[in-house]
Amino acid sequence: MALNTRQVSFYMTQRNKGLTQEAAAITAGISVRSGRRIEKGHWQQSGDRHWRSRQDPLEDVWLSDVLPLLHSRPQLSPATALEYLQDKYPDNVRRTLQRRIRTWKACHGEGRQIMFLQQPQPALRALSDFTQLKGTVITINGCPLEHKLFHFRLEWSRWSWMRGVIGGESFTALAEGVQEALGQLGGVPEEHRTDSLAAAWKNLSEEDHRDQTECYAGLCAHYGMTPSRNNSGRGHENGLVEAAHGHLKQRIRPALLLHGNNDFHSLNENRLFVTQPVLRHNQRNHDLVRQELAYLKPLPQRRCADYEELSVRVSSSSTINVRHVVYSVPSRLIGQMLSIPIEL
């Protein structure tokens, strides 16, 4: 048992008064065995240790690898730094690294975002939204990629799926993203919520508004989900997915730093790259995801149509105009109305 100096001093005072070891120990509130150790000079002082009880597992890598990485990329999270170190030094201790980086960030890092927790229910709701990696330019073979990120998230277990989309917040991008996410998840929640996405709820004309709404309603009906949206001007009602944008982008940006550049050979390669940080995020919530899967409804036998159909009339010059692009068609179709599927 560790002793403090007051106990030792009081014990020795009682012994100097002539008390026996047993009596002095009882008076000082210690054991007789501790009294014997005091008289032999073998007692251990209590209090905070100022020495290590074991070898520092980061001794060989903290100065040479971790600190230079933090100074050059201070936005790196402990999880990303750990994954980087585990590739080079598989035997590193996770808790030691996280504690060390947490201490460093507390002294030298930036302020952190404040969040207010809510109480969702399993399998009740999924949320979808589009976001951007602002301030980060992604290129395909050196050419800037104008794209957004579609984000699907389960409200209860925080399971997420994210993919890059081009062409804006279209119904095609929404349908592709939702169906890909549900396929990866392997189940269907009761409700699918968005904010006032143009791809789901509104468009420029009344006719387009009806078509888009019917397409989105058909998508949700195919999967047995109830479509919903937050109240107009109440963006915080979709906050569970919007707040999560930042968490996933905080994983994607450091992954780009470790990748060495922001250039990819194709959009598909970029999409595969984005999925890796998302999968790591899902792995951290593995237990909750497994619990929620038991409550999800099964997937339908087939996917729903994830494209838009445009109705265009063939002109007298045997051409059609599809979104300001002119195409030639067989002359026998002149005057006919054609339905054109528009994919992502």
Side-chain angles (χ1 to χ4, degrees):
M1 181 180 72
L3 305 173
N4 59 50
T5 54
R6 292 185 60 186
Q7 289 175 310
V8 174
S9 176
F10 188 77
Y11 172 83
M12 291 306 299
T13 299
Q14 303 308 308
R15 287 288 285 151
N16 292 334
K17 291 180 179 179
L19 271 66
T20 63
Q21 284 185 341
E22 290 79 1
I26 294 173
T27 305
I30 62 176
S31 67
V32 176
R33 185 178 179 183
S34 295
R36 295 194 189 103
R37 290 205 307 271
I38 291 174
E39 296 188 27
K40 293 179 180 179
H42 295 164
W43 61 280
Q44 178 185 348
Q45 183 175 354
S46 64
D48 295 333
R49 285 186 285 106
H50 301 288
W51 63 91
R52 292 190 179 277
S53 60
R54 61 187 176 93
Q55 183 180 358
D56 183 1
L58 300 176
E59 182 177 0
D60 296 332
V61 298
W62 179 255
L63 293 178
S64 61
D65 290 81
V66 181
L67 273 184
L69 192 65
L70 290 176
H71 283 299
S72 62
R73 304 170 177 89
Q75 61 270 50
L76 277 181
S77 67
T80 304
L82 174 65
E83 291 161 1
Y84 168 75
L85 284 181
Q86 284 178 332
D87 291 338
K88 299 182 65 176
Y89 311 101
D91 295 331
N92 272 292
V93 179
R94 175 176 180 172
R95 290 184 179 178
T96 301
L97 177 65
Q98 289 180 327
R99 183 174 62 252
R100 189 74 58 82
I101 293 180
R102 185 167 59 247
T103 300
W104 185 89
K105 285 181 175 287
C107 297
H108 308 287
E110 301 175 350
R112 302 175 63 181
Q113 185 178 9
I114 299 174
M115 297 182 61
F116 297 93
L117 300 180
Q118 300 184 28
Q119 298 297 326
Q121 298 178 15
L124 174 63
R125 184 179 296 117
L127 305 100
S128 293
D129 196 18
F130 293 89
T131 186
Q132 290 179 289
L133 277 174
K134 294 183 179 179
T136 302
V137 178
I138 303 297
T139 59
I140 303 296
N141 294 320
C143 298
L145 175 65
E146 298 293 335
H147 75 301
K148 290 188 175 184
L149 294 173
F150 170 80
H151 184 190
F152 178 97
R153 183 178 175 90
L154 286 180
E155 187 178 53
W156 189 77
S157 65
R158 302 186 295 278
W159 184 90
S160 292
W161 188 254
M162 188 171 274
R163 77 190 306 259
V165 298
I166 56 177
E169 299 181 9
S170 65
F171 170 74
T172 301
L174 176 66
E176 281 275 1
V178 169
Q179 296 192 92
E180 185 177 82
L182 292 176
Q184 292 291 330
L185 179 61
V188 181
E190 291 290 337
E191 178 185 331
H192 180 251
R193 169 163 291 190
T194 69
D195 58 10
S196 296
L197 288 177
W201 299 103
K202 59 182 181 180
N203 214 300
L204 296 177
S205 68
E206 188 64 30
E207 182 178 357
D208 286 339
H209 166 68
R210 183 175 60 254
D211 290 343
Q212 292 288 75
T213 302
E214 289 176 356
C215 287
Y216 176 61
L219 172 68
C220 291
H222 180 79
Y223 284 92
M225 297 185 298
T226 301
S228 69
R229 61 173 170 174
N230 57 277
N231 295 309
S232 180
R234 303 289 183 179
H236 66 275
E237 295 180 0
N238 212 36
L240 282 175
V241 66
E242 292 184 1
H245 292 336
H247 297 312
L248 290 182
K249 287 188 284 188
Q250 285 173 7
R251 284 180 166 268
I252 294 173
R253 287 194 176 98
L256 286 170
L257 291 174
L258 295 178
H259 183 258
N261 58 68
N262 298 354
D263 189 61
F264 298 88
H265 295 297
S266 64
L267 175 62
N268 187 57
E269 182 186 0
N270 175 258
R271 285 173 172 170
L272 292 175
F273 174 84
V274 168
T275 62
Q276 298 309 308
V278 177
L279 290 174
R280 287 172 178 161
H281 162 80
N282 291 337
Q283 187 61 34
R284 292 173 65 101
N285 300 323
H286 175 74
D287 291 340
L288 289 177
V289 174
R290 185 180 58 184
Q291 294 176 43
E292 186 160 24
L293 282 174
Y295 294 92
L296 295 174
K297 296 183 292 187
L299 288 167
Q301 294 293 325
R302 57 180 179 82
R303 288 175 59 132
C304 183
D306 48 17
Y307 54 83
E308 297 178 62
E309 285 192 355
L310 296 181
S311 296
V312 295
R313 189 176 298 278
V314 181
S315 69
S316 59
S317 58
S318 189
T319 60
I320 56 175
N321 189 316
V322 180
R323 291 184 174 175
H324 308 294
V325 178
V326 178
Y327 299 91
S328 297
V329 298
S331 59
R332 64 178 179 273
L333 298 176
I334 291 176
Q336 298 296 318
M337 186 70 73
L338 303 182
S339 294
I340 308 298
I342 306 297
E343 297 183 355
L344 181 60

